Amino acid sequence: MTAADYQPPRFLRSPHVQSVLGSSPLRRRHGERSLAACEAETTGHIIDGGNGVRLHGLHSVMPGDEPRGLALLLHGWEGSVDSSYMRLTAAALLRAGFEVFRLNFRDHGGTHHLNEGLFHSNRIDEVVHAALDVSRRFGRRPMAVAGYSLGGNFALRLALRAPAAGLPLAHVAAVCPVLDPARTMDAMEAGLPLYLWYFEKKWRSSLARKRELFPEQHAFDNRVLGLRMRPLTQWMIERHTDFGSLENYFDGYSVAGDRLAALEVPASILMAEDDPVIPVEGFRALRLPAASSLEISPWGGHCGFLESARLDGFAERWIASRLADALG
């Protein structure tokens, strides 16, 4: 199963149709129904992110079955464990014989109350620590990780750090991962305004919730919430990180160029040529080790990869296939 097998009908070949439908209420309901149909046992857990950080996630397993492995799933920015692609991917993995742990990043999925500090994209340490905690709790079997968009970026950085952290990862799969955050920001500002508006709206809502919960620590006013994406990111960097500048912050979580050449964990990357959010050019410049692969489809939009009017997705089947192959 490769990107060449993805042949969407003509009415689904627009990148904007793919991207918008992929996160639509219709697909959200499809994800709910698909996961419920698996009849898996799902339990919520508070996970140790180290240094007092608490993260939340959901563990799902098919009752009575002996799983072939454990899959850790990471969502995109302002997504959650309940995003449609997370539920649909969990369903595909459960049907393929995996147990699944879906992890919420800090301040995602209604978890703003668990930590005082704000989420930002360089909080990789707590995700590594959380993955270790998940592995200790459920790691009776081989473990793999998969992620979408920013979650794909976190998954790849997690794989880079896994050997030194003592995290036993067998494979990593990433769909439309953020490679170069600076180029992604440029692309959103130059592209269809819908995407920038969507992420700004969700981030402002998240920040407002954080201010409501921790007014003494986050006493910013509504003028801050009215900033556009770039100046709002700059505000966050200056007040809530030690990076000092937008350039240093973006460089801190970039995996572009030769940064993935050091991967010891085999990786599979799926990208769409027509992604309207993440420029495809950076993927052609990637240096990957021999055990890793990159597949670029002509279609798919940003994390869409829809296959039919039922809104089934190629990406979730691709992840299940890649992880099943890796774990035998």
Side-chain angles (χ1 to χ4, degrees):
M1 185 178 186
T2 70
D5 297 314
Y6 176 54
Q7 299 288 328
R10 290 191 179 277
F11 72 89
L12 283 176
R13 292 189 179 183
S14 162
H16 305 304
V17 170
Q18 284 279 345
S19 304
V20 172
L21 279 180
S23 58
S24 67
L26 284 173
R27 194 158 198 254
R28 195 172 305 123
R29 288 194 291 272
H30 182 39
E32 290 174 2
R33 289 192 296 265
S34 296
L35 187 53
C38 292
E39 298 184 343
E41 293 179 351
T42 298
T43 53
H45 300 267
I46 297 299
I47 300 299
D48 180 13
N51 296 318
V53 173
R54 297 181 298 159
L55 301 178
H56 170 266
L58 297 177
H59 175 256
S60 298
V61 64
M62 297 296 290
D65 291 350
E66 184 67 20
R68 70 197 300 171
L70 169 65
L72 173 66
L73 295 186
L74 304 178
H75 58 77
W77 187 40
E78 295 303 333
S80 77
V81 298
D82 291 325
S83 293
S84 57
Y85 55 86
M86 291 286 280
R87 283 173 164 157
L88 288 162
T89 304
L93 286 163
L94 287 164
R95 289 193 296 267
F98 287 86
E99 61 180 320
V100 180
F101 194 93
R102 290 173 280 154
L103 180 70
N104 273 314
F105 294 138
R106 178 194 295 235
D107 295 350
H108 289 71
T111 65
H112 300 74
H113 61 288
L114 293 180
N115 305 282
E116 290 186 2
L118 296 177
F119 170 82
H120 62 73
S121 299
N122 277 284
R123 291 198 183 275
I124 182 63
D125 289 344
E126 63 194 50
V127 175
V128 173
H129 206 287
L132 285 165
D133 190 18
V134 171
S135 176
R136 284 191 291 265
R137 294 193 197 196
F138 308 106
R140 300 179 300 277
R141 302 162 190 89
M143 182 177 180
V145 61
Y148 288 80
S149 194
L150 183 61
N153 172 284
F154 268 93
L156 291 167
R157 284 184 289 154
L158 177 61
L160 281 169
R161 294 189 177 210
L167 180 66
L169 280 186
H171 201 83
V172 57
V175 176
C176 298
V178 175
L179 291 187
D180 187 333
R183 301 288 77 78
T184 298
M185 176 75 83
D186 292 342
M188 285 200 296
E189 290 177 331
L192 191 69
L194 172 67
Y195 302 107
L196 200 60
W197 171 84
Y198 173 81
F199 285 112
E200 285 174 344
K201 180 175 181 290
K202 297 202 78 171
W203 191 17
R204 286 168 183 154
S205 177
S206 177
L207 290 172
R209 178 60 177 154
K210 204 72 173 183
R211 181 178 63 182
E212 179 184 342
L213 288 166
F214 302 102
E216 293 183 2
Q217 292 82 357
H218 303 295
F220 50 84
D221 57 30
N222 287 337
R223 289 175 296 178
V224 169
L225 295 182
L227 294 172
R228 300 305 305 271
M229 179 72 75
R230 189 179 292 270
L232 185 56
T233 306
Q234 183 68 50
W235 167 86
M236 187 269 296
I237 292 165
E238 292 174 353
R239 288 159 181 79
H240 298 279
T241 78
D242 297 323
F243 287 95
S245 70
L246 200 62
E247 293 74 19
N248 290 340
Y249 173 72
F250 283 156
D251 187 65
Y253 69 101
S254 172
V255 290
D258 61 358
R259 299 192 186 199
L260 296 178
L263 273 172
E264 296 179 29
V265 177
S268 299
I269 300 173
L270 175 64
M271 180 59 183
E273 180 91 32
D274 62 357
D275 191 317
V277 174
I278 299 175
V280 72
E281 290 77 15
F283 289 81
R284 298 194 177 96
L286 278 180
R287 283 188 55 215
L288 295 172
S292 298
S293 64
L294 166 66
E295 302 174 43
I296 301 178
S297 165
W299 310 284
H302 183 60
C303 297
F305 295 98
L306 304 179
E307 296 185 292
S308 68
R310 291 187 62 233
L311 303 184
D312 292 319
F314 174 82
E316 51 261 30
R317 293 197 300 116
W318 177 87
I319 285 176
S321 174
R322 285 289 169 274
L323 300 195
D325 288 346
L327 273 61

